[in-house]
Amino acid sequence: MPLPQITQLQVPSSLDSLARVLSWFDQLYQSFIPKSVWLRCQLALAEGFTNAVRHAHKELSPDLQIDLEVTILEQQVEIRVWDFGIPFDLMKKIKEIPTDVDHHSGGGRGLKLMRDIADYLSYEHGEDGRNCLLIVKQF
């Protein structure tokens, strides 16, 4: 398949959609991408998606959709997750997370995990009213 390969998916804003998201992502795998990189990207995608559902869309209509896009290039994978939540400063939020996070708690580690996986991470508010989480992983 010629590169770049850009694939999109739209799913309901529900944790029930996570299995569909991960199944879709698995189908995009290309053999030239190191498996360890792909698995880390999968983890970052899962964190980004669940954060959009749990936090960005928490107080919003359950009818909202989350748009996903994966771009595969020769030496990197780009993952985009769009939501309709209230914009925030991602890097400021990451810096505010305590370093001694309770590893037995149900949350609090996802943003730092994405930051550690990604070579580039951003969260920007677009003109269309959506926010875009961009996760870039090079290999």
Side-chain angles (χ1 to χ4, degrees):
M1 181 173 281
L3 297 177
Q5 176 188 343
I6 302 171
T7 310
Q8 298 174 332
L9 178 69
Q10 186 177 68
V11 295
S13 180
S14 166
L15 292 178
D16 293 337
S17 299
L18 181 59
R20 181 174 167 204
V21 168
L22 296 177
S23 175
W24 165 75
F25 186 74
D26 280 344
Q27 295 172 21
L28 303 178
Y29 177 69
Q30 300 290 319
S31 60
F32 65 88
I33 302 170
K35 194 66 170 177
S36 61
V37 168
W38 191 255
L39 292 173
R40 291 174 65 80
C41 288
Q42 181 185 55
L43 179 56
L45 170 61
E47 289 293 339
F49 175 77
T50 57
N51 279 351
V53 172
R54 288 183 177 150
H55 303 292
H57 289 181
K58 182 178 181 179
E59 304 294 329
L60 303 177
S61 168
D63 297 330
L64 281 177
Q65 300 283 305
I66 294 177
D67 293 315
L68 306 164
E69 180 179 283
V70 173
T71 302
I72 298 174
L73 300 156
E74 286 183 28
Q75 297 182 355
Q76 72 183 29
V77 175
E78 299 175 357
I79 299 169
R80 290 174 177 81
V81 179
W82 283 278
D83 70 62
F84 290 96
I86 297 171
F88 69 96
D89 183 332
L90 175 65
M91 293 307 151
K92 180 180 176 193
K93 186 77 168 174
I94 289 172
K95 288 178 186 173
E96 291 172 352
I97 298 172
T99 55
D100 58 344
V101 173
D102 178 1
H103 294 286
H104 300 290
S105 71
R109 299 180 308 272
L111 294 178
K112 284 192 171 189
L113 188 61
M114 284 188 288
R115 184 207 55 204
D116 291 346
I117 289 171
D119 292 306
Y120 178 80
L121 182 67
S122 69
Y123 185 74
E124 310 256 333
H125 186 68
E127 292 179 14
D128 64 357
R130 300 183 303 168
N131 305 301
C132 181
L133 172 68
L134 172 60
I135 302 162
V136 177
K137 181 65 180 166
Q138 299 173 343
F139 55 89

